Amino acid sequence: MLICAPAGYDKHDRLAALLAARGGARLVQLSCRPGSPSAFWRRLLTAAAPHLGEASPSAPRDGATDGEGSASSVVPTLRALLDRAPEPLTLVIDTYEAATSTENDLALLELAHPNLSLIVVARRVTILDSPLAAEPAPVRVIGPRELAITPDEALELAAEHRVPADSQLRSALELAAGWPAAVRAALDPGTDPIHNLARFALHHLELIDENARHLLLAAAQLDAIGLEHAAEFIGIGVIEARDAARELLELGVLTAVTTPETTEFRCHSAVRAALVARAKRSSIASRTELLLQGRATRIEHTAPLTAFRFFCAAGDYAHAESVLLRSFTIITDEGPPSARTLRAVPETALVAHPTLTAALLFLSLPDPAVPPSGLERLIALWQHGLQQRAEATGRGGAGSERALTVMPDQVRLADLAQHMILLRLLGRIAESQSYATRLEALMNTAYSSDTAAAPTSPYHGSLPTFYREIAATALAAGDLRRARRNLERLRAHAERLIAAPWNGFPYGSVRTVTDVESGRRWLLAALNELAFTEFIEGDKPRCAELLAEIEAITATTGASATGLSWVGGEVARAHLAYENGDQGLLDTATERLAPVRDRIEHWPVLLIAQAEFRRREFGASRALIELQAGIDAARRSGSTVDTRGIRGEEPVAGTQQANDSLRVGLGSYRAMLCTAIGDFARAHDALDQLPPDTSQTRIERARLALFEGSPVEALLLAQGISDATVTKWMRLERCLLSSVAAWECGKSDEAFAAASSASALLAECGLGSTLWGLPYAELRVVAAAAAEAGTDVAALDATLDAVPVPARTKRYERLTEMEQRTLAAVADHHSINESATALFVTPATVKKHLNSVYRKLDAKGRDDAILVATRMGLLTRS
């Protein structure tokens, strides 16, 4: 049996209990003292022989050689004596740390005998507690874990000492980690437990020599320290450093952690805080930065998070940025701790090392406590830093080919990625998309997916961020194919992390997020963004499946998507709400998004979802009011996304809104609502603010032409939209518009074919809300005629039946020239007689034309008719 633990673990109390349990068995006890191995064995033979029926060997003569009393001669002698022993013997070897060595430990194992119970008590041993000690006899090891005081036992001791079990005591006991000496120190009366631990720590400094003192103070400031590093820092030899470490291990203030590569030493938590404070006032304080840099350099490839923090603490921001470039995801996965590290970096360093700013912005975006002004400040610093770096490298422009070709792969990737993201946040989507193309091409060229996913590749720690940001840029540009491709790569990468996590990070890493946990976070990120992508595509069933998968993973693992990557899924959920008529879905999405609404890139699409739900309940006019209120609120809140250019205002100078698919989507939605309520003038204004060649703009121009009574123009516009440039959602809109327009042009076959295609898409995608933007009565006529002609429009019929009454859009009949002139005269002159005089007709004729106007415009009277006609552009607003 081996009872092995540092000082203060009550080893002799456990020994006494064991011996008491053995009763009157013959007992031999030997206390070791420093000396040669042969001296230990001669003393052991001298102590044990008389109890084995052998006369005590004579004392070794002066000048005796080691061979005369070595293990090789003593062990066979003792075994022979044990063979003849009349009864078993218990042999206790105490303070064995003074004699332990590989040779002595192995020789003790060879003493194994049925007549011998051997108990070794030591503060440390060489190999006696290792797997090598399993042969020739098993060794029962009682170590610090078995000797430690449990939390319940510690609280019982506190009650005996009448120490209140308050938060300070609980914190002190947690730091003591069951070390009996530390627990007892914390319970000393007269002062608080934390202060007691500080005294306990400083007391140890008085017990050790200078080398050990410097080693202990250095270890307290690090996660761990190796012998070579310790020797280098203290200025001593490795052998001297080893001796100092052994002294500290025996005292318990250091613990050893052994890996296949090396053994390193960690300061015990009970004494760390006080020793860190003392180190700042010691002779090594002036070299703390060197200490931190030395440790960080040794572990930057195996424990990047720890190295990053040490480099930052040392003010070595260049090396910190280098680590961050390789391990961006690993470091930002840690969230608040990494944010605290980065917030301590001065602004001058953030500008000089823009990757640090990028990480701080990444961590600040999901934090509601950081106001929009703080985010804008970080974006400005980041932009300044990237520009400054471009100028310093003599580039002709940010990310120029000349500069990129001389960069290491990981730096090139990071440079492209940072420019891509920054330009996207600034609204310069076309430029951002260009960087995304180059970034994806470089990743595809430099590494295959398998190689890039390997833990030792320069991309392993940043790949998830690259995939997700390329996808986000593609979504902003409306490139769903690229978005889906990179999100699927992100999903595959995350699944590999979960299935085969890398165990390469040593105990020295301060990571709290494992590869499995990180994989789950990024898997949820991929699924949320894929749900949003499928919503944009118009695949409602697939979107719902992905959201259900997200909910299942979250419920079973408790994981959450990283950063703001979950936002897309919640926006998609909000859109499913109006499609399904489920207020609960909308409430859930709105509640989750509320804290970060002022900083999400998807905010235009969220506004559409909320407006569509109001449209379902109250009609298009209410939806338009809701939409405008949301746009105004976004402007007032200081949203980081520019809102101009979507409400008839001039865009901000320098922004490029023409290629922003989300902005175009919001503008086209506003145009559609204006068309649906007959406000053709505002619809034209809204469409004039959009790029003319996008599919969304063309669809809305076709819709406007149809509602204005120009079916030929509507049909030509709709048929001019290519399948290659549209989503399922847009194809469905185009088919519905084409069916009504073709019917009104007398092209029944084309109308029925378009209606059939629309019906098939409705059956596949279930996007019933697309019918809300078409004249309901006219669409019903086309569907009925198609069904009568034998065309399969069952899904269209069923969806028409399910359209909520408030969402059924009415198209006003076109006024004749005389009806329009009559309404204009009434608007100018107010009275029937004056209007008749101005028109050179009788009052009865005016009344007849007004009644026809009221019927066609579904107006309740003259003022209502004037309002509707003005919206339709039939009357000037003046």
Side-chain angles (χ1 to χ4, degrees):
M1 181 182 296
L2 170 64
I3 306 175
C4 184
Y9 271 91
D10 301 337
K11 297 183 291 296
H12 291 95
D13 289 350
R14 177 62 66 93
L15 174 63
L18 288 170
L19 295 178
R22 291 176 179 268
R26 284 193 302 161
L27 175 66
V28 176
Q29 290 186 275
L30 173 67
S31 291
C32 299
R33 53 177 181 261
S36 68
S38 58
F40 163 72
W41 288 103
R42 285 195 296 269
R43 293 185 65 242
L44 178 59
L45 180 60
T46 300
H51 298 272
L52 295 172
E54 185 77 10
S56 179
S58 59
R61 58 184 175 77
D62 291 339
T65 65
D66 284 352
E68 295 177 43
S70 65
S72 59
S73 62
V74 171
V75 169
T77 300
L78 285 174
R79 288 186 61 85
L81 293 175
L82 287 167
D83 287 339
R84 301 191 298 271
E87 56 183 322
L89 175 70
T90 298
L91 174 60
V92 176
I93 302 176
D94 197 4
T95 59
Y96 179 64
E97 65 272 6
T100 184
S101 66
T102 301
E103 295 76 15
N104 282 355
D105 288 5
L106 290 173
L108 282 178
L109 293 173
E110 292 176 8
L111 271 179
H113 193 281
N115 282 335
L116 176 65
S117 294
L118 179 60
I119 303 175
V120 177
V121 182
R123 291 182 175 183
R124 67 173 181 84
V125 293
T126 306
I127 63 167
L128 203 54
D129 58 349
S130 75
L132 293 175
E135 295 293 339
V139 178
R140 178 188 171 194
V141 178
I142 299 176
R145 181 178 300 177
E146 292 77 17
L147 296 170
I149 295 177
T150 67
D152 289 341
E153 291 171 340
L155 290 175
E156 290 176 8
L157 283 174
E160 292 175 10
H161 287 75
R162 298 183 179 179
V163 177
D166 55 16
S167 58
Q168 279 209 328
L169 175 66
R170 293 182 184 278
S171 296
L173 294 180
E174 184 177 352
L175 292 172
W179 185 9
V183 171
R184 286 193 294 270
L187 298 178
D188 281 348
T191 184
D192 68 82
I194 297 295
H195 183 75
N196 285 338
L197 283 184
R199 278 192 315 180
F200 174 72
L202 298 177
H203 173 70
H204 282 85
L205 292 178
E206 307 302 321
L207 303 177
I208 54 182
D209 63 21
E210 184 178 21
N211 288 343
R213 188 179 305 114
H214 286 166
L215 173 55
L216 181 57
L217 292 176
Q221 299 176 80
L222 303 175
D223 62 299
I225 190 168
L227 288 179
E228 288 186 2
H229 185 198
E232 175 188 305
F233 178 72
I234 300 171
I236 58 177
V238 173
I239 300 299
E240 294 170 286
R242 183 199 64 190
D243 293 341
R246 286 177 175 176
E247 181 181 359
L248 297 171
L249 287 171
E250 291 178 15
L251 289 174
V253 289
L254 281 192
T255 57
V257 185
T258 300
T259 67
E261 294 80 22
T262 185
T263 295
E264 295 188 325
F265 306 95
R266 178 178 291 171
C267 183
H268 196 286
S269 58
V271 299
R272 180 187 294 273
L275 295 178
V276 168
R278 174 55 64 89
K280 295 177 180 178
R281 304 191 302 273
S282 73
S283 59
I284 70 169
S286 61
R287 296 186 292 128
T288 297
E289 291 182 2
L290 289 175
L291 175 68
L292 297 175
Q293 287 174 309
R295 177 60 178 168
T297 302
R298 286 171 167 82
I299 62 173
E300 61 179 301
H301 294 287
T302 54
L305 177 63
T306 313
F308 174 74
R309 293 182 183 176
F310 285 155
F311 278 133
C312 285
D316 188 351
Y317 300 117
H319 279 103
E321 184 178 31
S322 177
V323 174
L324 185 58
L325 284 170
R326 292 193 301 271
S327 306
F328 189 92
T329 300
I330 291 169
I331 291 168
T332 54
D333 267 349
E334 293 296 323
S338 290
R340 285 193 294 271
T341 299
L342 288 162
R343 289 190 183 111
V345 177
E347 282 196 358
T348 52
L350 290 176
V351 172
H353 306 284
T355 312
L356 301 181
T357 318
L360 182 54
L361 178 62
F362 180 88
L363 293 169
S364 298
L365 277 168
D367 184 359
V370 180
S373 59
L375 300 177
E376 290 167 3
R377 176 61 179 163
L378 286 175
I379 291 173
L381 290 173
W382 191 20
Q383 185 175 16
H384 184 197
L386 289 175
Q387 289 172 343
Q388 191 177 84
R389 175 167 288 176
E391 293 167 1
T393 54
R395 302 188 209 178
S400 68
E401 293 297 337
R402 181 168 62 85
L404 289 173
T405 54
V406 299
M407 292 180 178
D409 282 347
Q410 65 205 37
V411 179
R412 272 193 287 172
L413 286 171
D415 186 83
L416 289 169
Q418 289 186 59
H419 280 86
M420 174 188 72
I421 300 165
L422 177 62
L423 289 167
R424 189 181 78 235
L425 293 178
L426 294 175
R428 295 159 61 179
I429 306 301
E431 294 175 71
S432 178
Q433 178 77 330
S434 173
Y435 275 94
T437 301
R438 296 162 68 187
L439 175 60
E440 188 176 22
L442 180 60
M443 291 172 65
N444 291 340
T445 301
Y447 276 78
S448 68
S449 59
D450 290 340
T451 306
T456 54
S457 84
Y459 304 116
H460 177 74
S462 297
L463 263 184
T465 306
F466 292 151
Y467 288 144
R468 192 261 167 180
E469 294 299 338
I470 291 173
T473 301
L475 286 171
D479 187 348
L480 300 190
R481 181 176 298 178
R482 171 174 285 161
R484 191 178 287 109
R485 179 171 65 244
N486 281 278
L487 291 173
E488 290 295 351
R489 288 173 176 172
L490 174 57
R491 179 175 187 165
H493 179 85
E495 289 173 343
R496 280 195 295 269
L497 282 179
I498 296 169
W502 186 38
N503 296 318
F505 292 111
Y507 67 89
S509 174
V510 293
R511 287 181 76 191
T512 61
V513 179
T514 65
D515 272 4
V516 172
E517 291 168 323
S518 179
R520 288 171 181 159
R521 291 182 181 184
W522 286 102
L523 175 59
L524 289 172
L527 294 175
N528 273 282
E529 296 284 25
L530 280 169
F532 181 75
T533 303
E534 297 307 333
F535 147 69
I536 295 292
E537 173 67 39
D539 195 336
K540 174 186 165 184
R542 180 59 182 149
C543 177
E545 286 175 9
L546 289 164
L547 290 177
E549 188 175 353
I550 291 165
E551 293 297 325
I553 293 172
T554 302
T556 55
T557 68
S560 58
T562 189
L564 287 178
S565 58
W566 54 272
V567 165
E570 293 306 319
V571 172
R573 190 189 311 279
H575 280 269
L576 288 183
Y578 66 77
E579 290 286 352
N580 297 339
D582 188 337
Q583 180 71 52
L585 280 180
L586 181 64
D587 291 343
T588 297
T590 303
E591 181 181 353
R592 292 176 180 176
L593 290 167
V596 295
R597 182 163 179 156
D598 60 0
R599 67 205 53 212
I600 60 176
E601 295 180 67
H602 302 323
W603 71 270
V605 194
L606 177 61
L607 285 187
I608 293 173
Q610 294 170 323
E612 280 291 84
F613 207 96
R614 295 296 166 261
R615 184 182 179 196
R616 179 187 184 92
E617 295 178 317
F618 305 108
S621 294
R622 179 66 176 273
L624 188 58
I625 294 170
E626 180 94 5
L627 181 72
Q628 196 60 60
I631 293 173
D632 292 340
R635 292 175 61 83
R636 289 193 302 271
S637 70
S639 170
T640 56
V641 183
D642 178 40
T643 60
R644 284 178 281 189
I646 56 175
R647 53 186 305 238
E649 301 177 13
E650 288 299 318
V652 174
T655 61
Q656 296 185 2
Q657 301 177 44
N659 293 296
D660 185 341
S661 68
L662 302 184
R663 197 181 305 275
V664 171
L666 184 57
S668 61
Y669 177 70
R670 182 170 174 270
M672 183 270 291
L673 290 179
C674 291
T675 299
I677 65 173
D679 193 344
F680 301 148
R682 288 185 186 274
H684 279 289
D685 288 344
L687 290 173
D688 287 343
Q689 296 293 326
L690 301 178
D693 295 330
T694 69
S695 298
Q696 285 176 289
T697 304
R698 289 178 176 179
I699 285 173
E700 292 313 318
R701 289 207 177 276
R703 191 191 315 275
L704 181 55
L706 181 65
F707 273 79
E708 285 182 321
S710 302
V712 174
E713 181 185 358
L715 185 59
L716 290 173
L717 284 168
Q719 291 180 340
I721 301 170
S722 167
D723 275 355
T725 63
V726 297
T727 62
K728 291 179 181 178
W729 200 311
M730 293 180 195
R731 286 207 300 275
L732 178 53
E733 294 266 23
R734 186 195 63 189
C735 290
L736 291 169
L737 285 167
S738 297
S739 66
V740 177
W743 178 258
E744 294 183 355
C745 290
K747 297 179 177 293
S748 57
D749 289 345
E750 289 186 26
F752 296 161
S756 176
S757 297
S759 185
L761 283 167
L762 283 168
E764 177 187 350
C765 303
L767 299 172
S769 64
T770 53
L771 275 60
W772 305 356
L774 278 295
Y776 182 81
E778 289 79 352
L779 191 56
R780 175 66 85 181
V781 169
V782 176
E788 187 176 347
T791 303
D792 182 6
V793 289
L796 176 58
D797 269 335
T799 310
L800 279 167
D801 291 339
V803 173
V805 173
R808 296 178 179 181
T809 302
K810 176 181 175 60
R811 184 176 65 174
Y812 301 113
E813 290 185 50
R814 194 165 192 171
L815 301 185
T816 65
E817 182 182 352
M818 191 60 200
E819 289 168 345
Q820 190 169 335
R821 288 176 57 202
T822 301
L823 185 58
V826 171
D828 284 340
H829 300 289
H830 301 294
S831 76
I832 296 294
N833 290 335
E834 290 178 2
S835 299
T837 301
L839 293 169
F840 303 102
V841 296
T842 66
T845 301
V846 171
K847 290 180 180 178
K848 184 186 77 169
H849 286 313
L850 278 181
N851 287 332
S852 180
V853 168
Y854 297 161
R855 177 183 57 78
K856 288 182 177 181
L857 300 185
D858 195 24
K860 299 178 178 64
R862 183 186 63 187
D863 290 342
D864 193 18
I866 291 171
L867 175 62
V868 172
T870 303
R871 286 177 173 173
M872 295 175 66
L874 302 179
L875 299 177
T876 61
R877 294 186 181 276
S878 61

